[in-house]
Amino acid sequence: MAETFTTNVPSRLDRLPFSWFHWLVVAALGVTWILDGLEVTLVGSLSPAIQAGLGLTGAQIGLSASAYILGAVLGALVFGRLTDTYGRRKLFTITVAVYLVATIATGFAWDFWSFLLFRFLTGAGIGGEYGAVNSAIQELIPARRRGYTDLAINGSFWVGAALGATGSLVVLNPEIVDQAWGWRLAFVIGGLLALIVIFIRRYIPESPRWLMTHGRPEEALAIVEAIEVRVARDTGQTLQHIDELKVLRLRHTRTCWLDIARSLMVRHPRRTVLGVVLMATQAFCYNAIFFTYALILTKFYDVAPAAIGWFMLPFALSNFMGPLLLGHLFDTAGRKVMISLTYGLAGALLCVTGWMFAQGVLSAVTQTVAWTVIFFFASAGASAAYLTVGESFPLETRAVTISLFYAFGTLLGGVGGPALFGALIDTGERGQIFLGYLLGGGLMLLAAGVELWLGVAAERMPLEEVAAPLSLVDDAP
C-alpha cells in the first residue's frame, strides 16, 4: 500500500487574497483563448485571400477548417492525458510551442497539403491548451473568485476575435498590404505573438494541487510558501494562520483510463450527463451561428465581404462583456441559477430572433444587434460550461476530463452545427433557416432545464469539496 501523507496545500491556496500573482496567472494562461479567437476569425476573414494565394477550391478551404477542428480534438485528448500525467506547467509550455511553430509554418505553406498539415498542427496546439490551461487556472485561483476568473478568461476568446476582425481590415486592404503576402504576414505575426506567451509563462509555477496528488507534497508546500510570501508582499495583508486550515490525508496513486471511465460513469454519472449537455448545446449553437455569420450577412443583407469585420466587432465585444460583467454572479448568486438563466435567455431570444429573420423584419444592423444581445448571455453560459466540467471531477483526471468534453463539443458543434446551417442557408429560404434557429434555441433551453435538474452548487467551494480527489484517504484529524 502506498504511503499516506497530510497536506493543507488546497486551503492555503484558497485563503489567499487576490493579488498581482493571480493577475499574472490570468494574463499568462488566459491569452490562450485570445490566440484561439484570433486564429479562428483571421482564417475565416482571410479565406478568399488564402484561396487565391494557394489556388484552393472552396471545398479545400472547408477541408482545412475540418483539419483544424480534427487537430483540436486529437490535441485535446492526447495533451489532456499528458497534462494529468506529467503536470500542468510542462504541457502548457509544450502546447503553446506547438501552436507557435505550426502557425508560423502556415504562413509559409506552398500548396493545399502543406496548408492542411499546418492547420491540423495548429489545432492540436490550441486543443491541448484547453485541458492544461483550464486545470492550472482552477487550481491556482482562490475558490471564492474561481467562477468569475474562469468565465472572464474563457470569454477572452472574443478579444482575439475582435483583433482578428480588425486585422483582417488591414491585411485585406491592397493599399496597405500586397494581397499576395497579406494573409501570410497575418499568420507569421500571430505565431510570433506566442513567443511573448512562452516568456510570461516562465513565471507561472507548477500547480501545487497537481504535485500533492502525485506524491510530491514537499515541492507543493515550497511553491505555496513562495506564493504566500509574494501575495503578502503585494497586498500588505496578514494571512490566516495555517493551524486553522483544513488538512487532507492523501495517498499517491497512478490513474489509468479505467479510473477516468469509473470517475465519469460510476462516481459522477449525473455530472457527466450535465457536462455533455452543456458543452454540446453551446458548441452547436455557437459554431452554427458564428461560422455562418458572414454567409447570412452577405446572402440576405447584401453586405460586402470586405465589410464583414465591422459587423463582427460589436458581436465580439458583446461576447467578451457577457462573462466580464456577469461573471461575479456565478460566485454569488450561484452556478445553478446563473447557468440556467444565461442558457435559457439565450435560447429564448434566439428563437424570437429566428422568427423575426423569417418574417424579413430585420436589417443587417438590427440582425447584428439581436445576435449581440443573444450572445451577451450565451457567452457567459458557454464559458460556465468549461468551468463546470473542470471543477466537477477529481483533480487527478481534471485535464483529460476537460479535454474529453471539449473534444465532444467541438466535434458536434464544429462539424454538425455549421454543416447543418450551411445547408439551410444554401436553400435560400428564410423559413428553413428559422428551423435551424429553433433547433439551436431549443437545445439551449433544454440545457437550462438540465442545469436546474443536475447543476452542481460549486460556488466558493474548494475543488476538493466539489469533487474528492481519487487519492483522498479520509479527512485528517
Side-chain angles (χ1 to χ4, degrees), residues 131-149:
V133 169
N134 264 312
S135 299
I137 289 169
Q138 293 191 4
E139 292 164 14
L140 287 169
I141 297 298
R144 63 188 177 279
R145 292 284 296 271
R146 187 172 64 242
Y148 176 72
T149 304

Side-chain angles (χ1 to χ4, degrees), residues 148-425:
Y148 176 72
T149 304
D150 201 82
L151 260 70
I153 289 174
N154 277 283
S156 65
F157 172 96
W158 297 99
V159 174
L163 292 174
T166 304
S168 71
L169 297 173
V170 175
V171 297
L172 291 178
N173 187 339
E175 296 181 1
I176 300 176
V177 181
D178 187 332
Q179 294 300 280
W181 296 100
W183 68 271
R184 295 183 183 274
L185 182 63
F187 282 112
V188 172
I189 293 175
L192 290 176
L193 289 175
L195 283 174
I196 302 174
V197 178
I198 291 176
F199 176 78
I200 296 175
R201 286 186 181 179
R202 294 170 57 242
Y203 300 98
I204 306 300
E206 178 57 88
S207 164
R209 282 180 156 106
W210 181 86
L211 289 168
M212 77 179 188
T213 58
H214 285 73
R216 297 158 66 179
E218 295 83 5
E219 293 178 57
L221 182 60
I223 289 176
V224 170
E225 289 175 343
I227 293 173
E228 287 173 336
V229 169
R230 179 169 182 175
V231 170
R233 183 182 67 241
D234 290 344
T235 64
Q237 297 184 31
T238 301
L239 302 179
Q240 181 183 356
H241 199 277
I242 59 174
D243 291 341
E244 304 172 14
L245 302 177
K246 184 175 181 179
V247 177
L248 301 176
R249 180 180 291 121
L250 303 175
R251 177 190 300 116
H252 174 45
T253 58
R254 293 184 179 273
T255 58
C256 61
W257 281 104
L258 182 61
D259 296 317
I260 296 167
R262 189 180 294 116
S263 173
L264 293 170
M265 302 302 179
V266 179
R267 295 186 63 172
H268 303 292
R270 291 165 61 92
R271 297 181 181 188
T272 299
V273 172
L274 175 65
V276 167
V277 171
L278 291 181
M279 292 294 287
T281 53
Q282 65 85 21
F284 180 90
C285 182
Y286 247 102
N287 289 298
I289 302 300
F290 182 60
F291 284 109
T292 57
Y293 190 94
L295 292 176
I296 291 289
L297 291 176
T298 56
K299 187 163 187 173
F300 292 93
Y301 297 112
D302 297 322
V303 174
I308 293 296
W310 294 113
F311 290 87
M312 184 66 70
L313 286 174
F315 181 78
L317 178 63
S318 173
N319 274 276
F320 175 60
M321 296 305 295
L324 194 66
L325 297 180
L326 300 178
H328 70 282
L329 295 174
F330 288 77
D331 285 323
T332 54
R335 308 283 200 259
K336 185 178 292 190
V337 170
M338 290 306 300
I339 294 175
S340 58
L341 180 64
T342 51
Y343 269 75
L345 282 173
L349 290 172
L350 183 56
C351 292
V352 172
T353 298
W355 178 82
M356 295 175 69
F357 171 78
Q359 298 302 308
V361 299
L362 297 175
S363 65
V365 172
T366 54
Q367 177 77 69
T368 300
V369 170
W371 278 332
T372 297
V373 173
I374 291 167
F375 286 94
F376 174 84
F377 298 106
S379 182
S383 296
Y386 286 96
L387 170 66
T388 298
V389 299
E391 65 186 1
S392 297
F393 297 93
L395 187 148
E396 294 89 342
T397 65
R398 176 162 294 123
V400 73
T401 299
I402 294 170
S403 299
L404 284 168
F405 284 103
Y406 166 76
F408 181 84
T410 300
L411 276 176
L412 179 63
V415 177
L420 174 61
F421 269 74
L424 293 176
I425 291 171

